[in-house]
Amino acid sequence: MPTTSRQWLLNDHPRGRGIEDGDFKLVETEIGDPDEGQMLLKTHYLGFDPAMKGWMENIADYVAPMNIGDVMRGSAILEVVESNGGKFAKGDIIFGSNIWTEYCLHDGEGLFKVDTDLPPTAHLSVLGTTGMTAYCGLFKVGKPVAGDTVLVSGAAGATGSVVGQLAKVAGCRAVGIAGGPEKCKWLVEEGGYDAAIDYKADDVKAQIKQHCPRGVDVIFDNVGGAILDDMLANIATGARVVVCGGISRYESGGTPTGPGNYFNLIFRRASMAGFIVIDWMAEFPAIRKRIEGFVQDGKLTYQEDIQEGFENAPETLKRLFTGKNRGKQMLKL
């Protein structure tokens, strides 16, 4: 039975700048025995999402504030080491929201037993928040119909790569925007996209017009900034713009510049909406089964980028904002 555990604490709010090493503090804390109804959990994997920077900045009001000295939050796959009448039994592998820690005591609230024929890490990627965000954002907000053109920014990321494949399942044309020839090649050859635009090399607006000659029916935006502006310039009549994230703002500052082409929403009688995926949490089990079926049928593939070593947690998070990750970013302890 472990008596201590390393944890990463929030040491500063990275507002208006990129994440730095000094934003985190590694400490060692004592771990007691589980009380009645508690379990001792061991972390096997941590999951990372761009939204975590918003939590660190303490500006994301859909989650509880993060104060200096709080243990960093995230998603995790854990093992029940001991259970004192807890929600799960000793040896169970579970997943859900937790903290950056090697071991912890927990009552099981917000955690769920791994239930999939896929590798357990799928519960942090395609069956986790990543897959739920892609599915709910596309179908609940974007509402694609067969024959639509769906344009996705950040298309090679963990969420964007799933969005394009779900669009293809729905009978749509999928066009992705990503950075670099390697990512664009993966999108077309393995990720199911019909076309890919390299924003680092191409005139994005001209390429959108070339690959979406009838205009864009559904935009799924993970980036914001200038790329969102270029996408809005080529929307079709009745288009739906799904605002999922704005990774461009995370390095430049906390307040993104509004798109100059927003008036095109009027000209094209289009709509633009943001969403928070937890609004559909009650539907997650059914959505997971549906997505798992797509994977097993060969209609959907996914990537996982797994780093190693608890001491590398901050560096692993930073990978999301430098374009180093390939698919869902995770850390194996």
Side-chain angles (χ1 to χ4, degrees), residues 68-317:
I68 303 300
D70 286 352
V71 185
M72 272 297 299
R73 301 181 195 145
S75 55
I77 292 176
L78 312 109
E79 178 185 353
V80 180
V81 178
E82 292 292 339
S83 181
N84 187 3
K87 182 178 178 181
F88 303 102
K90 180 178 179 178
D92 282 350
I93 304 298
I94 57 180
F95 72 96
S97 298
N98 203 39
I99 54 176
W100 287 13
T101 185
E102 293 174 303
Y103 293 89
C104 69
L105 298 176
H106 206 294
D107 63 3
E109 183 69 26
L111 299 176
F112 307 90
K113 191 172 181 178
V114 167
D115 178 23
T116 178
D117 292 329
L118 302 179
T121 52
H123 275 295
L124 295 185
S125 58
V126 71
L127 301 182
T129 304
T130 297
M132 301 303 103
T133 299
Y135 188 99
C136 293
L138 181 62
F139 292 117
K140 304 291 189 180
V141 184
K143 296 180 169 60
V145 297
D148 276 354
T149 295
V150 178
L151 179 62
V152 184
S153 63
T159 298
S161 60
V162 175
V163 173
Q165 295 176 85
L166 291 176
K168 294 300 295 180
V169 171
C172 300
R173 173 174 171 79
V175 179
I177 302 173
E182 180 188 344
K183 288 184 177 180
C184 288
K185 182 180 179 182
W186 184 88
L187 283 179
V188 175
E189 294 185 358
E190 296 184 50
Y193 275 83
D194 295 289
I197 297 168
D198 182 356
Y199 73 82
K200 294 182 177 180
D202 299 330
D203 179 332
V204 175
K205 189 182 293 187
Q207 290 292 306
I208 292 173
K209 193 168 184 179
Q210 175 186 334
H211 292 297
C212 310
R214 297 185 297 103
V216 178
D217 300 291
V218 180
I219 287 174
F220 195 106
D221 182 38
N222 294 298
V223 175
I227 288 180
L228 173 57
D229 218 20
D230 287 342
M231 292 192 292
L232 287 174
N234 200 45
I235 53 176
T237 299
R240 287 81 68 201
V241 181
V242 183
V243 183
C244 178
I247 201 166
S248 66
R249 82 165 182 85
Y250 289 128
E251 297 298 292
S252 60
T255 305
T257 302
N261 280 328
Y262 82 94
F263 223 70
N264 226 16
L265 296 169
I266 297 175
F267 298 148
R268 299 297 178 221
R269 298 81 155 173
S271 61
M272 188 175 194
F275 72 100
I276 300 295
V277 70
I278 56 176
D279 292 344
W280 294 284
M281 189 176 291
E283 299 182 44
F284 285 3
I287 295 172
R288 284 193 187 100
K289 289 299 182 185
R290 187 168 299 172
I291 292 178
E292 183 173 4
F294 292 151
V295 174
Q296 292 172 332
D297 291 343
K299 296 178 179 178
L300 197 160
T301 187
Y302 64 99
Q303 287 183 304
E304 296 178 342
D305 185 325
I306 302 177
Q307 302 298 301
E308 294 194 10
F310 186 66
E311 65 280 2
N312 295 319
E315 197 62 35
T316 303
L317 176 60

Side-chain angles (χ1 to χ4, degrees), residues 59 63 85 135 273 332:
I59 61 173
V63 294
Y135 188 99
K332 182 179 180 180

